[in-house]
Amino acid sequence: MNIGKPRKLGKTINELEEGDSLSLTESIEDNQLLLYLGLTNDANPLYIQHDFAQKTEYQQPIVPSVMLMGIITSAVSKHLPGPGSHVVNFSVNFIEPVFHYETLTFQFEVIKVDKMKDVVTISVEAENSEGNRVLDAVVMVQPPVDPELEIAFESEGELNE
């Protein structure tokens, strides 16, 4: 193990426990929306045109749902479990629309650790600054594999051949 060096991988399945949690606050800004819309070539007027959005039930442009999912997957990749993890299943319920310039607080909690399947289940709730819940999600994540364990497994396989 590299003592004193920054960790490059997130938590492995053996380092995660039910109840592990993370709170994250994100503000939705124009630069993020424009990047998303430019990268995806998504020209939905509901996302950017105030005149169009005023004629809808939302009354103003909303944030694309995939952007909100991206915030969640980014937090999984960066923090819980962290670098090297991989989302294998994602279920989300959008409760209320999210509007431009809103600040959201995301609460992540590990609700299940399945060592047999090498997967953790994380619940996610997000609220806007008024305290209204805007989404619920359940994300199944394969945490990173400890490279030292992987090397041990490979060596053991070579001995058995």
Side-chain angles (χ1 to χ4, degrees):
M1 180 172 272
N2 297 329
I3 297 176
K5 290 189 179 180
R7 184 182 180 120
K8 291 186 169 110
L9 292 178
K11 290 183 174 183
T12 66
I13 192 83
N14 293 319
E15 296 171 307
L16 291 161
E17 296 180 7
E18 291 178 13
D20 286 352
S21 64
L22 168 71
S23 180
L24 177 71
T25 301
E26 288 280 335
S27 296
I28 309 297
E29 301 294 335
D30 279 342
N31 62 341
Q32 296 167 316
L33 289 159
L34 292 173
L35 278 170
Y36 165 79
L37 296 170
L39 287 171
T40 60
N41 200 24
D42 189 342
N44 186 340
L46 187 55
Y47 300 149
I48 52 175
Q49 293 180 12
H50 288 269
D51 291 342
F52 177 86
Q54 282 180 336
K55 298 173 187 167
T56 70
E57 65 180 292
Y58 305 111
Q59 300 293 305
Q60 57 185 309
I62 63 172
V63 174
S65 54
V66 173
M67 255 185 81
L68 300 171
M69 294 169 68
I71 292 170
I72 293 170
T73 58
S74 175
V76 165
S77 292
K78 289 190 232 175
H79 306 292
L80 186 66
S85 57
H86 174 64
V87 172
V88 295
N89 192 307
F90 197 123
S91 175
V92 63
N93 180 30
F94 298 101
I95 300 166
E96 286 193 17
V98 175
F99 300 104
H100 295 202
Y101 312 112
E102 280 199 271
T103 298
L104 304 178
T105 300
F106 293 82
Q107 299 293 337
F108 296 77
E109 182 179 352
V110 175
I111 58 172
K112 184 177 180 184
V113 177
D114 188 336
K115 292 183 180 184
M116 292 294 290
K117 294 182 180 176
D118 195 32
V119 170
V120 295
T121 304
I122 300 172
S123 73
V124 183
E125 293 181 359
E127 291 184 346
N128 62 20
S129 55
E130 287 82 44
N132 298 324
R133 201 154 77 201
V134 297
L135 70 78
D136 291 327
V138 175
V139 186
M140 294 178 74
V141 179
Q142 186 176 38
V145 175
D146 185 339
E148 291 178 17
L149 276 179
E150 200 166 77
I151 291 168
F153 286 135
E154 288 173 5
S155 298
E156 187 176 295
E158 291 169 8
L159 291 175
N160 291 334
E161 291 178 358

